[in-house]
Amino acid sequence: MTMISVRDLRKTFPIKKHAGGFVGSLASLFRSEYEGEFEAVKGISFNIERGEMVGYIGPNGAGKSTTIKMLTGILVPTSGEATVAGMVPWETRKQLALKIGVVFGQRTQLWWDLALIESLELLKYMYRVPDDRFQHNLNTATELLGLEEFLRTPVRQLSLGQRMRGDLTAALLHDPEILYLDEPTIGLDIVAKAAIRDFLSELNRARQTTVLLTTHDLDDIEQLCPRIMVIDHGDVMYDGGLSDLKQRWGGRRQLIVDFASEPDVAISELTNGNLEVISIDGPRATIAFDRDSLSAPEVLSRAGAYGDIRDMSLQEPDIEDVIKRMYAGKIPAGV
Amino acid sequence: MAYRSSFLLQIFANFLINTAEVLALFAMFYQFDSMGGWTLGEVALLHGMSMIAFSLGDMLTIGMDYVAPQIRSGEFDRVLTRPLSSWMNAVTSEINLRHLGQLIQGFLVLTFAFTQVNIDWSVTKVLMLIGAILTGVALFMALFTVEAIFSFWTVNGVEAINAFTYGGSDLAQFPMHVFGRTLRVLFIWIIPVAFVTYYPALYLLDKPDPLGMPGWFVLLGPVITAVFCGVVAWGWNQGIRHYRSTGS
Amino acid sequence: MRMYYELAKRSFQQQFAYRAATLAGLFTNSVFGVMLSSVYLALYWDKPENASVGGFTAEQAVTYTWIGQALIMPVIFWGWWLIIDTIRSGAVVMDMLKPMDYFRYWLSRDLGRGAAQVITRGIPTLIIGSILFDLVWPESWQRWVAFLISVPFAVTVSFCLRFMFNLWGFWLLDHRGISSLVILVTGVFSGHLLPINWYPPAIRDFINVLPFRSMMMTPVEIWLGQVSIARGLAMQVFWSAVMIGCCYLVLHFAERKVVVQGG
């Protein structure tokens, strides 16, 4: 069953003009003028089936949030069609709200001055959640996300990770069919990230909740989303499996090797088809290599031939890098 | 350009807000002939002097408004590292002429007052007017400093000081003898607002003090104001010391 | 309905958290109350005892002052920009995602806040005023009740005005201009600055046909017996309804702007 269906969805925004001069700013008290427009989303199309977990990724300003805002019904598209849970979102915003849950990592739907539990109770009335469902969902979240210790703390005093766990609980109180997550792990520590990811997998498994997730964190995608969509400049550039994407565009990991002293310059000769010495800076060498054909210890042992290794660190390719490479057109987009 | 027009806009807005005060004055005298025996022109004289002193004092100490947020955000440390006295640093951390609107209005009201009352001008009277306004500027600057001083210790309840800053400037707009004993003692002897408008106005208008103070009493104004400023300066230094020892 | 009640209840409870601010505010209200009472009394010095000027005896004028000070926090007569803050910070997006009526959401919160401030600020201010000055009290228990009913309507009209100013500010680049306009409009037109009857007839008649007097003047008249209970409350109900209608109209356009321009 298709939960989200999008056809040629487009959104342009007018750009405001700042009037100059005293008269201009007096006039701006009463009206604003516009100059030109900006195309945030350029006619995208996709389908998401029930129970899918889809990563929606792209650099800042790529059009991710705009898409999500249209799919929640807050924004009306300039043109195109979409249905979410069988409804046209911007025509039935309030009805749709009962079927979706939304978490924006940078914002909160909780009330700053209220204790977390008070906020959750308010949402219970707002979404008309029956008492037994509320208790059940609250207990589940308390157990899996460890809410107990800060349930009675005012939201303004919560740490980012605690607040995010609270927001996630809030978004799921009414058993939504679809969950939109915008950067749910941004700024969180490893423990909080892991808790949230486990919770989401469990939710998806147990309830078949459809999840659309935007993130900068490749680990989020890796652990949660079998399918990803890459968007940039308002266009979908890739729609498919994660492993496929990595193989094609994000396959290179970087090994940073610190030698005891400057390594033999001949180290640059290591460069071949699946390995590249990117830079040598004093005693530090940065080596990029293909994750599928080479292992890190292998690269390390090869580098060891050129000097005495003191330290090393391994960097996984991040999604920004993948998209940058994709956008630079090193490998043709499209599947 | 954008900056300048937004600046003009602020002055305009400030002018608008203070229109209400002036409006209320005229409306009161539309219904009534006098206030505690004083005419519209005489009360307008008090209004004009108070508005000028208050707006100048406020503009010169805008920086004090930022002390509390600076303490909370930790930026106050930076203020202390500059090679000036801590008070000068705090004051000069922000220059804002937003109360220019009130200043303009003060001058307009004062001009109106001069057309309504007969003042037998002399050199000493001109000096008295200038001296009164300067005393007032110093007093209001000190009062705005008090507000900042409290924020070295607490963030709660600082708005009670409004009763003395805004309350003081409002009170100075009316003849002192209409107020009860408590307010009079407070605003003559402790926060000497009465010397900004009331006693100088008595001198300008050649009126005897209905409260029975001799003519030379007005000369005590700068003295009491100086004492008040001294206490505030002491309080400021205590605040700085407290901040340095606790860092909060 | 339950949800709006719960919202109001929580706003109400929240107000009791700020004890130091409440005490400081009470002090400031009282100082201003004493000051303004003295000024008004001085206007009557050369009038015969019990003289009524513009419908107010000296005692009534003093009572008016203290009711005004008591209503400052519950009703709010100046700029209030909580909604515009949520629009500027983008938090409004989270509110739009909720299955609720946006206007009723804010109104119920404001009524809860107002009710709490009647208790923490309004009643104590009146008690202080009655200790320091001779106040005129409502002449019957019906008037007491009518006054208590008139306060939530005053808050409603005030809220509608603030709500519309917030949404209007949303269209503009800079809301400082209208912010000073709000202070002027609410101060003068509500009757908070001066009893409306004291203005020259042309101004007075103009203000009397506007909704804003429901915020302050009508409750005062109900208290002092200057208007019949039925007429006073009917005016407030009428103006509340009109103002609420206007709010929905403005909200409709504001929502359209948000959905088209993204705020």
Side-chain angles (χ1 to χ4, degrees):
Chain A
M1 189 185 134
T2 304
M3 284 308 276
I4 302 176
S5 153
V6 173
R7 289 284 156 273
D8 298 322
L9 204 61
R10 227 179 107 245
K11 182 70 192 173
T12 57
F13 293 112
I15 299 167
K16 260 186 198 171
K17 178 177 160 183
H18 285 251
F22 180 53
V23 176
S25 48
L26 259 190
S28 72
L29 282 177
F30 301 97
R31 65 194 158 81
S32 306
E33 282 179 42
Y34 299 99
E35 51 172 28
E37 42 185 37
F38 161 70
E39 196 168 26
V41 174
K42 304 176 181 171
I44 56 172
S45 303
F46 58 84
N47 283 332
I48 295 177
E49 301 299 316
R50 180 176 158 83
E52 270 197 283
M53 281 185 113
V54 179
Y56 192 53
I57 60 179
N60 289 328
K64 290 174 298 186
S65 292
T66 305
T67 312
I68 290 197
K69 280 183 186 168
M70 286 192 279
L71 294 182
T72 54
I74 302 176
L75 281 179
V76 177
T78 310
S79 67
E81 294 163 24
T83 53
V84 175
M87 288 183 257
V88 178
W90 47 92
E91 285 170 6
T92 52
R93 190 180 83 221
K94 281 173 199 166
Q95 290 97 299
L96 182 65
L98 296 169
K99 298 202 166 196
I100 61 175
V102 184
V103 176
F104 285 143
Q106 318 268 32
R107 309 234 159 91
T108 181
Q109 61 166 323
L110 307 169
W111 286 268
W112 284 111
D113 299 315
L114 297 180
L116 176 57
I117 184 70
E118 298 262 317
S119 278
L120 295 176
E121 279 171 7
L122 269 182
L123 289 165
K124 170 192 154 189
Y125 295 112
M126 203 169 266
Y127 286 88
R128 294 180 212 105
V129 183
D131 284 334
D132 56 331
R133 278 314 295 169
F134 177 76
Q135 266 317 319
H136 174 264
N137 286 342
L138 185 61
N139 290 344
T140 313
T142 304
E143 195 184 306
L144 293 175
L145 292 171
L147 299 187
E148 193 55 53
E149 50 177 316
F150 52 88
L151 214 45
R152 307 209 169 271
T153 312
V155 172
R156 68 166 72 255
Q157 290 169 20
L158 298 182
S159 72
L160 189 59
Q162 291 173 331
R163 207 214 72 209
M164 185 57 66
R165 284 181 267 173
D167 254 304
L168 201 54
T169 308
L172 293 167
L173 279 180
H174 56 290
D175 296 315
E177 293 174 31
I178 298 168
L179 183 62
Y180 297 110
L181 299 163
D182 192 5
E183 301 288 356
T185 59
I186 196 163
L188 301 190
D189 61 64
I190 294 168
V191 181
K193 277 184 185 179
I196 284 177
R197 286 174 193 147
D198 291 346
F199 181 72
L200 290 173
S201 326
E202 172 60 22
L203 174 87
N204 177 253
R205 193 191 57 75
R207 273 201 229 146
Q208 286 285 295
T209 308
T210 309
V211 179
L212 183 60
L213 166 79
T214 76
T215 185
H216 277 88
D217 191 326
L218 191 62
D219 290 339
D220 282 349
I221 302 281
E222 199 144 0
Q223 295 181 27
L224 293 173
C225 305
R227 171 182 168 194
I228 69 166
M229 289 191 286
V230 181
I231 184 173
D232 197 10
H233 290 75
D235 264 329
V236 175
M237 302 187 65
Y238 174 85
D239 186 347
L242 175 67
S243 49
D244 207 27
L245 176 87
K246 264 197 203 160
Q247 235 165 29
R248 287 177 191 218
W249 295 303
R252 298 211 315 178
R253 306 159 94 182
Q254 284 187 359
L255 189 69
I256 296 162
V257 186
D258 285 329
F259 293 93
S261 56
E262 278 187 40
D264 192 333
V265 282
I267 191 172
S268 55
E269 288 167 11
L270 274 176
T271 302
N272 61 26
N274 49 23
L275 187 152
E276 182 188 359
V277 179
I278 294 177
S279 68
I280 304 165
D281 181 16
R284 167 169 294 188
T286 306
I287 304 165
F289 64 99
D290 196 335
R291 62 186 299 136
D292 295 318
S293 49
L294 281 175
S295 72
E298 219 177 321
V299 177
L300 200 62
S301 75
R302 284 197 205 173
Y306 297 91
D308 195 5
I309 295 174
R310 277 289 160 84
D311 200 1
M312 54 79 77
S313 64
L314 186 63
Q315 279 187 347
E316 292 297 332
D318 71 350
I319 217 78
E320 291 284 346
D321 187 47
V322 173
I323 296 159
K324 231 184 282 162
R325 286 158 58 84
M326 212 163 155
Y327 203 73
K330 282 193 177 161
I331 297 151
V335 188
Chain B
M1 193 65 202
Y3 177 78
R4 204 185 72 190
S5 54
S6 144
F7 167 69
L8 285 172
L9 201 66
Q10 273 192 45
I11 294 174
F12 175 70
N14 180 250
F15 187 88
L16 218 57
I17 291 177
N18 290 288
T19 311
E21 270 174 24
V22 180
L23 204 73
L25 174 70
F26 282 98
M28 276 193 270
F29 277 89
Y30 176 81
Q31 287 293 340
F32 297 89
D33 314 311
S34 70
M35 177 187 292
W38 285 41
T39 63
L40 170 61
E42 290 164 345
V43 180
L45 179 64
L46 300 176
H47 267 69
M49 291 171 74
S50 167
M51 288 166 89
I52 292 170
F54 180 83
S55 56
L56 283 173
D58 191 13
M59 277 191 283
L60 291 172
T61 44
I62 289 284
M64 287 294 145
D65 289 3
Y66 297 89
V67 170
Q70 278 170 344
I71 289 172
R72 251 171 283 144
S73 69
E75 266 179 80
F76 195 75
D77 288 337
R78 201 165 45 89
V79 174
L80 288 179
T81 59
R82 294 211 199 98
L84 267 174
S85 87
S86 56
W87 186 80
M88 279 305 288
N89 269 323
V91 164
T92 53
S93 69
E94 172 84 24
I95 309 283
N96 189 322
L97 299 177
R98 66 182 175 189
H99 279 208
L100 216 53
Q102 190 183 12
L103 184 64
I104 294 165
Q105 207 153 33
F107 275 109
L108 289 177
V109 174
L110 196 63
T111 310
F112 166 80
F114 287 152
T115 65
Q116 298 294 303
V117 295
N118 280 317
I119 296 177
D120 198 4
W121 285 108
S122 65
V123 176
T124 51
K125 281 189 177 172
V126 174
L127 288 176
M128 175 63 72
L129 181 65
I130 296 170
I133 287 172
L134 290 179
T135 308
V137 173
L139 178 60
F140 285 119
M141 287 177 76
L143 275 172
F144 281 110
T145 306
V146 172
E147 206 164 330
I149 292 174
F150 275 91
S151 53
F152 284 114
W153 281 275
T154 175
V155 290
N156 294 315
V158 176
E159 61 269 40
I161 309 294
N162 283 349
F164 302 110
T165 49
Y166 293 91
S169 86
D170 271 18
L171 188 119
Q173 297 180 349
F174 300 101
M176 190 55 58
H177 63 270
V178 309
F179 299 111
R181 200 182 153 72
T182 314
L183 284 186
R184 284 206 311 264
V185 169
L186 179 63
F187 287 101
I188 292 174
W189 292 104
I190 298 169
I191 304 166
V193 164
F195 294 98
V196 180
T197 58
Y198 182 65
Y199 288 110
L202 286 176
Y203 179 78
L204 293 181
L205 298 166
D206 295 311
K207 275 176 181 276
D209 181 12
L211 302 170
M213 286 299 181
W216 53 262
F217 187 62
V218 63
L219 296 176
L220 273 185
V223 180
I224 302 177
T225 307
V227 171
F228 183 78
C229 291
V231 172
V232 171
W234 175 82
W236 175 264
N237 286 328
Q238 293 299 311
I240 294 287
R241 187 173 300 169
H242 178 80
Y243 178 80
R244 283 189 163 153
S245 59
T246 63
S248 65
Chain C
M1 255 353 259
R2 179 68 191 270
M3 158 194 139
Y4 299 106
Y5 165 74
E6 295 289 337
L7 277 165
K9 193 174 99 184
R10 281 168 178 78
S11 283
F12 179 86
Q13 290 163 345
Q14 214 180 302
Q15 295 302 317
F16 292 91
Y18 314 113
R19 271 188 213 114
T22 300
L23 286 176
L26 268 179
F27 175 74
T28 307
N29 288 156
S30 303
V31 171
F32 273 90
V34 172
M35 222 170 68
L36 291 172
S37 297
S38 310
V39 168
Y40 287 168
L41 284 172
L43 291 170
Y44 287 87
W45 278 14
D46 55 3
K47 303 282 180 205
E49 211 172 321
N50 290 325
S52 175
V53 178
F56 284 81
T57 65
E59 243 182 14
Q60 287 177 323
V62 170
T63 306
Y64 154 88
T65 302
W66 285 95
I67 297 175
Q69 291 299 312
L71 290 183
I72 278 186
M73 286 312 282
V75 178
I76 300 188
F77 296 96
W78 50 76
W80 173 93
W81 301 105
L82 288 189
I83 298 180
I84 219 169
D85 288 347
T86 69
I87 295 169
R88 287 181 185 220
S89 72
V92 67
V93 169
M94 300 312 293
D95 291 335
M96 292 190 67
L97 284 168
K98 290 169 181 155
M100 62 182 189
D101 182 303
Y102 190 70
F103 173 77
R104 278 208 275 169
Y105 166 71
W106 279 102
L107 175 64
S108 51
R109 290 176 71 182
D110 201 57
L111 286 171
R113 177 204 60 75
Q117 287 183 330
V118 166
I119 296 169
T120 58
R121 299 286 292 269
I123 294 172
T125 303
L126 278 174
I127 291 174
I128 293 168
S130 68
I131 293 169
L132 300 175
F133 290 86
D134 286 328
L135 302 187
V136 182
W137 301 99
E139 61 193 4
S140 63
W141 67 266
Q142 288 95 331
R143 286 215 173 259
W144 273 110
V145 174
F147 177 76
L148 281 179
I149 295 173
S150 78
V151 173
F153 284 107
V155 177
T156 303
V157 172
S158 157
F159 171 75
C160 288
L161 183 67
R162 286 178 274 133
F163 184 83
M164 283 189 274
F165 270 123
N166 270 270
L167 294 198
W168 182 20
F170 168 43
W171 262 270
L172 311 172
L173 298 172
D174 191 332
H175 72 262
R176 276 171 304 200
I178 53 170
S179 133
S180 45
L181 202 65
V182 179
I183 294 177
L184 191 65
V185 165
T186 49
V188 174
F189 293 169
S190 67
H192 187 257
L193 185 69
L194 214 61
I196 290 169
N197 266 348
W198 286 5
Y199 293 106
I203 301 178
R204 180 195 66 205
D205 294 345
F206 173 66
I207 298 175
N208 276 338
V209 297
L210 298 177
F212 313 111
R213 73 193 311 288
S214 293
M215 292 162 57
M216 159 98 188
M217 212 60 228
T218 308
V220 168
E221 287 168 349
I222 289 174
W223 176 295
L224 293 175
Q226 295 174 340
V227 69
S228 75
I229 293 174
R231 188 180 149 79
L233 290 181
M235 290 297 280
Q236 279 192 310
V237 171
F238 171 75
W239 283 121
S240 298
V242 171
M243 292 291 278
I244 290 172
C246 293
C247 283
Y248 274 105
L249 198 68
V250 174
L251 181 61
H252 173 76
F253 286 110
E255 276 190 334
R256 246 198 9 205
K257 181 186 152 71
V258 175
V259 301
V260 175
Q261 294 176 15

